[in-house]
Amino acid sequence: MPQAERKLNLGLIEGSDFGGYLHSMRYNDEAIEQLFGQLRKDGLLQNTTVVIYGDHDSRMKFSASLEVDTDLSAETQRRLAIRDYTTKQIPLLVVLPERLHAEPRVVHTLGGQVDIGATIAHLFGLKRPGSFIGQSLVPERAGHASRIDGSGVDGANIFIAPGGGRCESFPDFKRLGRDDCAELSRKTQEELNMRLGCDAARLGQQTGR
């Protein structure tokens, strides 16, 4: 991040990787503000849907040696320090056209990239295409998200596949037996198989041209 854009007063953590991350996030927030300012200036927000989604987490370890004010529990800080699977949560922002006068709200449904298309279709009253793997994130429900490594999470449990598989309750992260995640593991693998099947079919179409 250029020095001119390091506008936060971070005290002791200035110069650390975590401090650099915070500067980057401030810069990102300002860029989004400028984007919406330009869209409004050009009169485009009346008829434009904006979707913002990060394709991965920060890849940033929260160092336990950094003394920063936080209301995070000791267990959450420990998981952040090792970049545990449970800390890799990414927000999705959907801004509907202003002409719809939609009230802002926060939806807590668990989901992934495969659910974005289905969600947008639902918001506009469109039928979800049969080729879509994902489900709409609204109305709010428990939801489900899977990772390419076979891990998955729903409203009750989280299954971490690497290392032989680990099952925990969600969101309080209490260790459970693997059988408690059997259905979640099956559902996750089913979704991954559907993704791989779609990718293979798409690749076949492209190479057959």
Side-chain angles (χ1 to χ4, degrees):
M1 179 63 58
Q3 189 61 41
E5 297 297 340
R6 294 175 175 265
K7 300 178 181 180
L8 300 176
N9 180 14
L10 300 180
L12 294 176
I13 66 172
E14 184 63 71
S16 67
D17 288 343
F18 185 62
Y21 167 73
L22 294 179
H23 282 301
S24 297
M25 288 301 96
R26 187 217 62 80
Y27 180 83
N28 182 71
D29 287 346
E30 184 179 347
I32 293 175
E33 180 183 30
Q34 291 175 354
L35 168 65
F36 277 92
Q38 190 63 50
L39 288 173
R40 178 167 284 107
K41 180 180 178 181
D42 294 340
L44 296 175
L45 282 181
Q46 286 294 317
N47 298 292
T48 300
T49 299
V50 181
V51 180
I52 301 176
Y53 181 82
D55 65 346
H56 58 76
D57 69 303
S58 68
R59 304 217 162 98
M60 177 61 56
K61 290 184 178 180
F62 185 95
S63 176
S65 65
L66 296 177
E67 294 293 333
V68 295
D69 291 330
T70 176
D71 59 358
L72 299 176
S73 68
E75 174 61 12
T76 298
Q77 291 189 50
R78 183 191 70 79
R79 290 174 181 269
L80 285 169
I82 62 175
R83 288 193 70 245
D84 183 84
Y85 174 85
T86 56
T87 67
K88 300 175 183 179
Q89 301 179 39
I90 303 165
L92 165 67
L93 306 177
V94 178
V95 181
L96 295 173
E98 290 184 343
R99 62 181 173 81
L100 298 180
H101 303 291
E103 288 294 326
R105 57 174 166 156
V106 178
V107 177
H108 298 93
T109 305
L110 293 168
Q113 286 178 313
V114 296
D115 302 311
I116 296 177
T119 301
I120 301 303
H122 175 87
L123 290 172
F124 281 94
L126 303 175
K127 183 178 180 180
R128 181 176 69 91
S131 59
F132 279 23
I133 298 173
Q135 302 292 323
S136 175
L137 300 174
V138 289
E140 188 167 315
R141 56 190 174 80
H144 168 263
S146 61
R147 284 174 55 90
I148 193 65
D149 63 5
S151 301
V153 60
D154 57 21
N157 298 324
I158 181 169
F159 178 69
I160 301 92
R166 182 171 94 243
C167 182
E168 297 180 355
S169 59
F170 183 83
D172 54 355
F173 309 129
K174 294 180 179 179
R175 192 66 177 264
L176 303 172
R178 285 196 57 179
D179 288 346
D180 293 305
C181 282
E183 176 60 21
L184 172 58
S185 177
R186 183 202 64 77
K187 186 175 181 180
T188 298
Q189 196 57 55
E190 182 180 76
E191 182 175 289
L192 291 175
N193 289 340
M194 291 175 65
R195 285 195 206 175
L196 292 173
C198 290
D199 289 343
R202 190 179 300 111
L203 179 61
Q205 292 174 351
Q206 292 174 347
T207 56
R209 290 176 183 172

Coordinates of all heavy atoms in Angstrom, one line a residue, residues 70-117:
T70 N -10.0 -5.6 21.2 CA -10.9 -6.5 20.5 C -11.9 -7.1 21.5 O -11.5 -7.3 22.7 CB -10.2 -7.6 19.8 OG1 -11.1 -8.5 19.2 CG2 -9.3 -8.4 20.7
D71 N -13.1 -7.4 21.1 CA -14.0 -8.1 21.9 C -14.1 -9.6 21.5 O -15.0 -10.3 21.9 CB -15.4 -7.5 21.8 CG -16.0 -7.4 20.4 OD1 -15.3 -7.9 19.5 OD2 -17.1 -7.0 20.2
L72 N -13.1 -10.0 20.7 CA -13.1 -11.4 20.3 C -12.7 -12.3 21.5 O -11.8 -12.0 22.3 CB -12.1 -11.6 19.2 CG -12.4 -10.9 17.9 CD1 -11.3 -11.1 16.9 CD2 -13.7 -11.3 17.3
S73 N -13.3 -13.5 21.6 CA -12.9 -14.4 22.7 C -11.5 -15.0 22.4 O -11.0 -14.9 21.3 CB -13.9 -15.6 22.7 OG -13.8 -16.4 21.5
A74 N -11.0 -15.5 23.5 CA -9.6 -16.1 23.4 C -9.6 -17.2 22.4 O -8.6 -17.4 21.6 CB -9.2 -16.6 24.8
E75 N -10.7 -18.0 22.3 CA -10.7 -19.2 21.4 C -10.8 -18.7 20.0 O -10.1 -19.2 19.1 CB -12.0 -20.0 21.7 CG -12.2 -21.2 20.7 CD -11.1 -22.2 20.6 OE1 -10.2 -22.2 21.5 OE2 -11.1 -23.0 19.7
T76 N -11.6 -17.6 19.7 CA -11.6 -17.0 18.4 C -10.3 -16.5 17.9 O -9.9 -16.6 16.8 CB -12.7 -15.9 18.3 OG1 -14.0 -16.5 18.6 CG2 -12.8 -15.3 16.9
Q77 N -9.6 -15.8 18.9 CA -8.3 -15.2 18.5 C -7.3 -16.4 18.2 O -6.5 -16.2 17.4 CB -7.8 -14.4 19.7 CG -8.6 -13.1 19.9 CD -7.9 -12.2 20.9 OE1 -6.7 -11.9 20.8 NE2 -8.7 -11.7 21.8
R78 N -7.4 -17.5 19.0 CA -6.6 -18.6 18.7 C -6.8 -19.2 17.3 O -5.8 -19.5 16.6 CB -6.8 -19.7 19.7 CG -5.9 -21.0 19.6 CD -6.4 -22.1 20.4 NE -7.6 -22.7 19.9 CZ -7.6 -23.6 18.9 NH1 -6.5 -23.9 18.2 NH2 -8.8 -24.0 18.5
R79 N -8.0 -19.3 16.9 CA -8.4 -19.8 15.6 C -7.9 -18.8 14.5 O -7.4 -19.2 13.4 CB -9.9 -20.0 15.5 CG -10.4 -21.2 16.3 CD -11.9 -21.3 16.2 NE -12.4 -22.4 17.0 CZ -12.6 -23.6 16.6 NH1 -12.3 -23.9 15.3 NH2 -13.0 -24.6 17.4
L80 N -8.0 -17.5 14.8 CA -7.5 -16.5 13.8 C -6.0 -16.6 13.7 O -5.4 -16.5 12.6 CB -7.9 -15.1 14.2 CG -9.3 -14.7 14.0 CD1 -9.7 -13.4 14.8 CD2 -9.7 -14.6 12.5
A81 N -5.3 -16.9 14.8 CA -3.8 -17.0 14.8 C -3.3 -18.1 13.9 O -2.3 -18.1 13.3 CB -3.3 -17.1 16.2
I82 N -4.1 -19.2 13.8 CA -3.7 -20.4 13.0 C -4.4 -20.4 11.7 O -4.3 -21.4 10.9 CB -3.9 -21.7 13.8 CG1 -5.4 -21.9 14.1 CG2 -3.0 -21.7 15.1 CD1 -5.6 -23.3 14.8
R83 N -5.3 -19.4 11.4 CA -6.1 -19.4 10.2 C -7.0 -20.6 10.1 O -7.0 -21.3 9.1 CB -5.2 -19.2 8.9 CG -4.6 -17.8 8.8 CD -4.1 -17.6 7.4 NE -5.2 -17.5 6.4 CZ -5.3 -18.4 5.4 NH1 -4.6 -19.4 5.3 NH2 -6.3 -18.2 4.6
D84 N -7.6 -21.0 11.2 CA -8.5 -22.1 11.2 C -9.6 -21.9 10.2 O -10.0 -20.8 9.9 CB -9.1 -22.2 12.6 CG -10.0 -23.5 12.8 OD1 -9.4 -24.5 13.1 OD2 -11.2 -23.3 12.7
Y85 N -10.1 -23.1 9.7 CA -11.2 -23.1 8.7 C -12.4 -22.2 9.1 O -13.0 -21.5 8.3 CB -11.7 -24.5 8.5 CG -12.8 -24.6 7.6 CD1 -12.7 -24.7 6.2 CD2 -14.1 -24.7 8.1 CE1 -13.8 -24.8 5.3 CE2 -15.2 -24.8 7.2 CZ -15.0 -24.8 5.9 OH -16.1 -24.9 5.1
T86 N -12.7 -22.2 10.4 CA -13.9 -21.5 10.9 C -13.8 -20.0 10.8 O -14.7 -19.2 10.9 CB -14.2 -21.8 12.3 OG1 -13.0 -21.6 13.1 CG2 -14.5 -23.3 12.4
T87 N -12.6 -19.4 10.6 CA -12.4 -18.0 10.4 C -12.5 -17.5 9.0 O -12.4 -16.3 8.8 CB -11.0 -17.6 11.0 OG1 -10.0 -18.1 10.1 CG2 -10.8 -18.1 12.4
K88 N -12.6 -18.4 8.1 CA -12.6 -18.0 6.6 C -14.0 -17.7 6.2 O -14.6 -18.4 5.4 CB -12.0 -19.1 5.8 CG -10.6 -19.4 6.2 CD -10.0 -20.6 5.5 CE -8.6 -20.9 6.0 NZ -8.0 -22.0 5.3
Q89 N -14.6 -16.6 6.7 CA -15.9 -16.2 6.4 C -15.8 -14.9 5.5 O -15.1 -14.0 5.9 CB -16.7 -15.9 7.6 CG -16.9 -17.2 8.5 CD -17.6 -16.9 9.8 OE1 -18.6 -16.2 9.7 NE2 -17.2 -17.5 10.9
I90 N -16.6 -14.9 4.4 CA -16.5 -13.8 3.4 C -17.8 -13.2 3.2 O -18.8 -13.9 3.0 CB -15.9 -14.4 2.1 CG1 -14.6 -15.1 2.3 CG2 -15.8 -13.2 1.1 CD1 -14.2 -15.9 1.2
P91 N -18.0 -11.9 3.3 CA -19.3 -11.2 3.1 C -19.7 -11.1 1.7 O -18.8 -11.1 0.8 CB -19.1 -9.8 3.7 CG -17.6 -9.5 3.5 CD -16.9 -10.9 3.7
L92 N -21.0 -11.1 1.4 CA -21.6 -10.9 0.1 C -22.4 -9.6 0.2 O -23.3 -9.6 1.1 CB -22.4 -12.1 -0.3 CG -23.4 -11.9 -1.4 CD1 -22.6 -11.6 -2.7 CD2 -24.3 -13.1 -1.6
L93 N -22.2 -8.7 -0.6 CA -23.0 -7.5 -0.6 C -23.8 -7.4 -1.9 O -23.3 -7.5 -3.0 CB -22.1 -6.2 -0.6 CG -21.1 -6.2 0.6 CD1 -20.3 -4.9 0.5 CD2 -21.9 -6.2 1.9
V94 N -25.1 -7.2 -1.8 CA -26.0 -7.1 -2.9 C -26.8 -5.8 -2.8 O -27.5 -5.6 -1.8 CB -27.0 -8.3 -3.0 CG1 -28.0 -8.0 -4.2 CG2 -26.3 -9.6 -3.2
V95 N -26.6 -4.9 -3.7 CA -27.3 -3.6 -3.7 C -28.3 -3.6 -4.9 O -27.8 -3.6 -6.1 CB -26.3 -2.4 -3.8 CG1 -27.1 -1.1 -3.8 CG2 -25.3 -2.5 -2.7
L96 N -29.5 -3.6 -4.6 CA -30.6 -3.6 -5.6 C -30.8 -2.2 -6.2 O -30.4 -1.2 -5.6 CB -31.9 -4.1 -5.1 CG -31.8 -5.6 -4.6 CD1 -33.1 -6.0 -3.9 CD2 -31.6 -6.5 -5.8
P97 N -31.4 -2.1 -7.4 CA -31.7 -0.8 -8.0 C -32.5 0.1 -7.1 O -33.4 -0.4 -6.4 CB -32.5 -1.1 -9.3 CG -32.0 -2.5 -9.6 CD -31.8 -3.2 -8.3
E98 N -32.1 1.4 -7.0 CA -32.8 2.3 -6.1 C -34.3 2.4 -6.4 O -35.1 2.7 -5.5 CB -32.2 3.7 -6.1 CG -30.8 3.7 -5.5 CD -30.2 5.1 -5.5 OE1 -30.7 6.0 -6.2 OE2 -29.2 5.3 -4.7
R99 N -34.7 2.2 -7.7 CA -36.1 2.3 -8.0 C -37.0 1.3 -7.3 O -38.2 1.5 -7.2 CB -36.3 2.2 -9.5 CG -35.9 0.8 -10.1 CD -36.0 0.7 -11.6 NE -35.5 -0.5 -12.2 CZ -36.1 -1.7 -12.2 NH1 -37.3 -1.7 -11.6 NH2 -35.5 -2.7 -12.7
L100 N -36.4 0.2 -6.8 CA -37.1 -0.8 -6.0 C -37.4 -0.4 -4.6 O -38.2 -1.1 -3.9 CB -36.4 -2.1 -6.1 CG -36.1 -2.7 -7.5 CD1 -35.4 -4.0 -7.4 CD2 -37.5 -2.9 -8.2
H101 N -36.7 0.6 -4.1 CA -36.9 1.1 -2.7 C -36.7 -0.1 -1.7 O -37.5 -0.2 -0.8 CB -38.2 1.8 -2.6 CG -38.4 2.9 -3.5 ND1 -37.7 4.1 -3.4 CD2 -39.3 3.0 -4.6 CE1 -38.1 4.9 -4.4 NE2 -39.0 4.3 -5.1
A102 N -35.8 -0.9 -1.9 CA -35.6 -2.1 -1.0 C -34.9 -1.6 0.3 O -33.9 -0.8 0.3 CB -34.7 -3.1 -1.7
E103 N -35.4 -2.0 1.4 CA -34.9 -1.6 2.7 C -33.6 -2.4 3.0 O -33.5 -3.6 2.7 CB -35.9 -1.9 3.8 CG -37.1 -1.0 3.9 CD -36.7 0.4 4.2 OE1 -35.7 0.6 5.0 OE2 -37.3 1.4 3.7
P104 N -32.5 -1.8 3.5 CA -31.3 -2.5 3.8 C -31.5 -3.6 4.9 O -32.3 -3.3 5.8 CB -30.3 -1.4 4.3 CG -31.1 -0.2 4.4 CD -32.4 -0.4 3.8
R105 N -30.9 -4.7 4.8 CA -31.0 -5.7 5.8 C -29.8 -6.6 5.8 O -29.1 -6.7 4.8 CB -32.3 -6.6 5.6 CG -32.4 -7.2 4.2 CD -33.6 -8.2 4.1 NE -33.8 -8.6 2.8 CZ -34.5 -9.7 2.4 NH1 -34.9 -10.5 3.4 NH2 -34.7 -10.0 1.2
V106 N -29.6 -7.4 6.8 CA -28.5 -8.3 6.9 C -29.1 -9.7 6.9 O -30.0 -10.0 7.7 CB -27.7 -8.1 8.2 CG1 -26.6 -9.2 8.3 CG2 -27.1 -6.7 8.2
V107 N -28.7 -10.6 6.0 CA -29.1 -12.0 6.0 C -28.0 -12.9 6.5 O -26.9 -12.8 6.0 CB -29.5 -12.3 4.5 CG1 -29.9 -13.8 4.4 CG2 -30.6 -11.4 4.0
H108 N -28.3 -13.8 7.4 CA -27.3 -14.6 8.0 C -27.3 -16.0 7.5 O -26.6 -16.9 8.0 CB -27.6 -14.7 9.5 CG -27.5 -13.3 10.2 ND1 -28.6 -12.5 10.4 CD2 -26.4 -12.6 10.7 CE1 -28.2 -11.4 11.0 NE2 -26.9 -11.4 11.2
T109 N -27.9 -16.2 6.3 CA -27.9 -17.6 5.7 C -26.5 -17.9 5.3 O -25.8 -17.1 4.7 CB -28.8 -17.6 4.5 OG1 -30.1 -17.2 4.8 CG2 -28.8 -19.0 3.9
L110 N -26.0 -19.1 5.6 CA -24.7 -19.6 5.2 C -24.8 -20.0 3.7 O -25.8 -20.6 3.2 CB -24.3 -20.9 6.0 CG -24.0 -20.6 7.5 CD1 -23.9 -22.0 8.2 CD2 -22.7 -19.8 7.6
G111 N -23.8 -19.7 2.9 CA -23.8 -20.0 1.5 C -22.4 -19.8 0.9 O -21.4 -19.4 1.6
G112 N -22.3 -20.0 -0.4 CA -21.1 -19.8 -1.1 C -21.3 -19.2 -2.5 O -22.4 -18.7 -2.8
Q113 N -20.3 -19.1 -3.3 CA -20.4 -18.5 -4.6 C -21.5 -19.1 -5.5 O -22.1 -18.5 -6.3 CB -19.0 -18.6 -5.3 CG -18.0 -17.6 -4.8 CD -16.7 -17.8 -5.5 OE1 -16.2 -18.9 -5.6 NE2 -16.1 -16.6 -5.8
V114 N -21.7 -20.4 -5.3 CA -22.7 -21.1 -6.1 C -24.1 -20.6 -5.9 O -25.0 -20.8 -6.6 CB -22.7 -22.7 -5.9 CG1 -21.3 -23.2 -6.4 CG2 -22.9 -23.0 -4.5
D115 N -24.3 -19.9 -4.7 CA -25.6 -19.4 -4.4 C -25.9 -18.0 -4.8 O -27.1 -17.6 -4.7 CB -25.8 -19.5 -2.8 CG -25.6 -20.9 -2.3 OD1 -26.2 -21.8 -2.8 OD2 -24.8 -21.0 -1.3
I116 N -24.9 -17.3 -5.4 CA -25.2 -15.9 -5.8 C -26.2 -15.8 -6.9 O -27.1 -15.0 -6.8 CB -23.8 -15.3 -6.2 CG1 -22.9 -15.2 -4.9 CG2 -24.1 -13.9 -6.7 CD1 -21.5 -14.6 -5.3
G117 N -26.0 -16.6 -7.9 CA -26.9 -16.5 -9.1 C -28.3 -16.8 -8.7 O -29.3 -16.1 -9.1

